[in-house]
Amino acid sequence: MDLPVPIRTFVLHWGEMGTRWGVNRSVAQIHALLYLAERPLAADEIVAALGIARSNASNSLKELQAYRLVDLTHVPGDRRDHFTARHDPWDMLLAIVDERKRRELDPAIAIIRTCAAEAEADAAISAVARRRLADMQHFLEELDGFYDRIRRVPSGRLRRLLKLGDRIIGLLKS
């Protein structure tokens, strides 16, 4: 499958951005390809379009499904599995944030709580280190609470909030 230049450029750039965010290049490229696709694509079509190994495509699709960015679907008359991507950028963003929170923030909070509690009970730990661990725990828990509050806000309201931008910042200055 030969991709038109603008689509190939976007797919390649999305792959580069993905590597900067800690995501495998193929995962990001497959996501970009499916995001722009007009119809569900089978794995062999993805392999042909991107020139990647079938095993790489399979593993990447599993990761995208774990992030809830890609869904498995079936096409009538075709026994192969096909894949589609979410098309609403807000849904994509929130799915990514949800998964990153689960994989990164939640374990960090659990570890910092343990470290802070153990440091508080250990007289050999300096007061400075105990305070900094407590400060980090407080910060991560505040971040987690903010995440929980934002996730309860419907995406339409989040869009309006984003559009308010500078006006909200202005309110915070007073």
Side-chain angles (χ1 to χ4, degrees):
M1 176 188 303
D2 194 30
L3 298 175
V5 172
I7 291 175
R8 177 161 298 285
T9 300
F10 176 76
V11 166
L12 292 174
H13 179 71
W14 203 252
E16 290 301 316
M17 283 185 1
T19 61
R20 291 184 183 103
W21 295 339
V23 175
N24 177 287
R25 181 186 322 272
S26 297
V27 170
Q29 287 179 345
I30 290 171
H31 178 251
L33 179 66
L34 290 172
Y35 175 72
L36 295 179
E38 295 177 21
R39 61 177 177 76
L41 297 179
D44 57 327
E45 294 175 294
I46 294 167
V47 166
L50 300 178
I52 59 175
R54 170 69 190 204
S55 61
N56 189 359
S58 179
N59 290 333
S60 297
L61 286 163
K62 286 177 188 171
E63 186 166 342
L64 287 164
Q65 288 175 78
Y67 265 89
R68 295 183 339 271
L69 291 171
V70 167
D71 294 313
L72 173 69
T73 188
H74 297 282
V75 173
D78 192 335
R79 292 177 35 189
R80 300 174 298 171
D81 291 337
H82 289 72
F83 301 89
T84 59
R86 291 181 182 212
H87 295 107
D88 182 337
W90 275 99
D91 287 345
M92 290 174 8
L93 172 68
L94 294 174
I96 290 167
V97 169
D98 288 346
E99 189 63 17
R100 299 294 294 250
K101 178 193 178 299
R102 187 186 70 75
R103 290 184 185 193
E104 298 166 25
L105 184 60
D106 291 348
I109 290 171
I111 288 170
I112 196 72
R113 282 180 180 149
T114 300
C115 292
E118 290 175 0
E120 199 58 41
D122 187 342
I125 306 292
S126 73
V128 170
R130 285 196 306 271
R131 186 184 74 247
R132 288 181 182 163
L133 284 168
D135 288 349
M136 183 58 70
Q137 177 184 353
H138 181 71
F139 169 75
L140 292 176
E141 288 172 347
E142 279 185 337
L143 186 60
D144 190 47
F146 179 72
Y147 163 83
D148 288 339
R149 288 188 300 278
I150 288 294
R151 278 308 272 131
R152 288 193 299 267
V153 176
S155 62
R157 286 188 183 165
L158 287 175
R159 286 183 175 106
R160 290 195 310 264
L161 180 67
L162 189 63
K163 288 179 183 178
L164 290 173
D166 288 340
R167 291 173 34 197
I168 291 174
I169 292 170
L171 290 174
L172 295 174
K173 289 179 183 176
S174 50

